[in-house]
């Protein structure tokens, strides 16, 4: 039952007010009572006795709402805030005419003056959401993530908002829209913050596991994808290892703010833990996926042209992975797209997308892309030092470029880099030409650099015919040209160039590792 209290409650009118409340309780036979004190101006000890009597004799479930700060202070000093739920009245804020600076899944952020912003929640009953976001934002700050902490909760229309101090703040979206010359700076700072987030280990149980959420998305697809495709999708998500490192969950250019030369992360209610692939999927959706069918959506959301957004995504992903290798970038992007499309299809269906022509067209586009990706993807996990590439001769330059980037990080001498490049060519071309009997397969090239002592290991992994090249007899290089057989020099040169070459066959995979001390 909800009853509004107005004016004053003192010794003169307290008995009458108590009688009226009891009569209503007995009439409605209600076991709970909410007293709305928005218009209550004064309460004395006589009024407090009413509350105590009601709780003791009629209903233990009493909730006081919209309590003014003056009356709340009385409740607090007399211990009533410990006896029952007492909710303060919230300052009313209007966002009419205010600049919208951000929008996420759970709310919209407005600039209410030069120094402050308010996040207005979509959920009208958002107090629990606000409390959650304040708690996780504090956790992030303690763990070293620069973010803003809400200092006030306000009423905005029919919902609630969190107020943050953001002095002269500009989102990265605004910077990209108004200062295009800062594009590279934005990419650098954006990736720097992303790496800081993903490098932050979160104490167990403090944040939700994004893998569990993604698994629910995958299982949702059972009624909308072929059964075999859905089973593979679920198995791919299940195979992603648990990771207690932080992910933001909604990381795009409207959720990064520049304020007084400091970059701050905002909109923290989506914080979770998990493998970075889940973060990259959300990023892909923000910059590419959601606007793939209707390009105009992007500018309405981010405030700058989609072409800039796609370029920003590509360059940020390259910087995050530490490579310009197009094959590596595309490999990781495709893994992110699988999660991204799954999330978008589910979201659209749950928002009645199948009931509109545009919604059906979007869903069909995403489904086609998803099914094609599922056919050729065996894992959602990626490593910065691994390249999963088709074993075809024309892909050799990509493999050599990928390895060269890692060698450059340890200032590998040019002569040594050239020798390693020769060894890479010999092994990769051999795999390309002979590993697979019918259709071509893939090769994983792993480059690992060690600094103590400085050395590089390059591992080639394929699922082709079992073959140990080290068992091949070395050619007799003392023979004349007429006497020598053609072929056999590749692995011989590799063994001479590298300091160690090792082979093993494990779980249906040829694994050949080359090591060179630098």
């Amino acid at each position: 039952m909800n009853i509004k209290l107005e004016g004053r409650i003192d010794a003169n009118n307290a008995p009458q007010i108590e009688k009226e409340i009891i009569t209503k309780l007995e009439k409605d036979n209600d076991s709970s009572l909410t007293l709305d004190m928005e218009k209550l101006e004064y309460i004395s000890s006589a009024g407090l006795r009413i509350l105590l009597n009601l709780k003791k004799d009629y209903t233990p479930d009493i909730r006081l709402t919209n309590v003014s700060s003056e009356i709340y202070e009385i409740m607090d000093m007399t211990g009533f805030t410990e006896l029952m739920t007492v909710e303060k009245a919230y300052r009313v804020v209007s966002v009419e005419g205010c600049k919208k600076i951000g929008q996420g899944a759970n709310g919209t952020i407005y600039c209410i003056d030069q120094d402050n912003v308010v996040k207005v929640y979509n959920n009208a009953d958002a107090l629990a959401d606000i409390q959650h976001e304040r708690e996780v934002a504090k956790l992030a700050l303690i763990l070293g993530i620069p973010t803003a902490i809400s200092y006030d909760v306000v009423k905005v229309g029919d919902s609630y908002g969190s107020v943050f101090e953001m002095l002269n703040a500009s989102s990265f979206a605004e910077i990209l829209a108004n200062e295009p010359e800062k594009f590279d700076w934005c990419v650098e700072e954006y990736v720097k913050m992303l790496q800081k987030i993903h490098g932050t280990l979160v104490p167990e149980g403090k944040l939700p596991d994004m893998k569990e959420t993604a698994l629910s998305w995958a299982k949702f697809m059972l009624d909308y994808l072929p059964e075999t495709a859905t089973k593979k999708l679920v198995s791919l998500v299940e195979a992603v290892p648990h990771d207690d490192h932080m992910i933001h969950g909604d990381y795009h250019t409207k959720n990064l703010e520049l304020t007084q030369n400091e970059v701050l992360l905002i909109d923290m209610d989506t914080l979770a833990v998990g493998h970075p692939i889940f973060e990259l999927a959300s990023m892909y959706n923000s910059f590419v996926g959601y606007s793939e069918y209707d390009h105009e959506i992007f500018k309405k959301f981010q405030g700058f042209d989609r072409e800039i957004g796609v370029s920003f995504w590509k360059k940020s992903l390259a910087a995050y992975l530490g490579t310009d290798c197009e094959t590596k970038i595309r490999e990781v992007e495709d893994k992110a797209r699988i999660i991204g499309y799954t999330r978008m299809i589910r979201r659209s269906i749950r928002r009645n997308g199948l009931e509109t022509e545009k919604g059906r067209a979007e869903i069909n586009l995403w489904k086609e892309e998803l099914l094609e990706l599922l056919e050729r993807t065996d894992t959602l996990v990626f490593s910065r030092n691994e390249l999963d590439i088709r074993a075809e001769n024309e892909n050799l330059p990509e493999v050599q470029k990928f390895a060269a980037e890692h060698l450059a990080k340890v200032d590998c001498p040019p002569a040594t880099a050239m020798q390693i490049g020769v060894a890479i060519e010999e092994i990769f071309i051999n795999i390309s030409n002979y590993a697979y009997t019918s259709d071509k397969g893939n090769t994983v090239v792993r480059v690992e650099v060690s600094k103590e002592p400085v050395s590089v290991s390059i591992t080639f992994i394929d699922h082709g015919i079992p073959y140990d090249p080290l068992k091949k007899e070395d050619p007799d290089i003392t023979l004349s040209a007429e006497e020598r057989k053609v072929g056999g020099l590749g692995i011989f040169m590799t063994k001479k160039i590298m300091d160690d070459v090792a082979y093993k066959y494990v779980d249906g995979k040829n694994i050949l590792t080359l090591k060179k001390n630098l």
Side-chain angles (χ1 to χ4, degrees), residues 200-229:
T200 299
L201 191 62
V202 179
E204 185 177 355
K206 290 294 186 179
L207 292 176
D209 187 346
M210 196 64 188
K211 176 180 174 178
E212 297 304 315
T213 302
L215 196 56
S216 71
W217 299 340
K219 291 178 179 179
F220 176 88
M221 303 304 293
L222 188 60
D223 293 330
Y224 304 98
L225 292 180
E227 184 178 357
T228 53

Side-chain angles (χ1 to χ4, degrees), residues 29 76 92 94 159 194 210 307 318 336 349 371 404 419 480 511:
N29 195 27
D76 193 39
V92 176
S94 172
S159 187
L194 184 62
M210 196 64 188
E307 292 77 10
I349 291 173
L371 290 171
Q419 290 179 337
S480 65
I511 304 174

Side-chain angles (χ1 to χ4, degrees), residues 271-291:
L271 279 192
V273 295
H275 191 279
I277 194 62
F278 300 123
E279 185 91 89
L280 297 180
S282 172
M283 290 165 56
Y284 175 81
N285 285 352
S286 296
F287 294 110
V288 185
Y290 282 128
S291 57

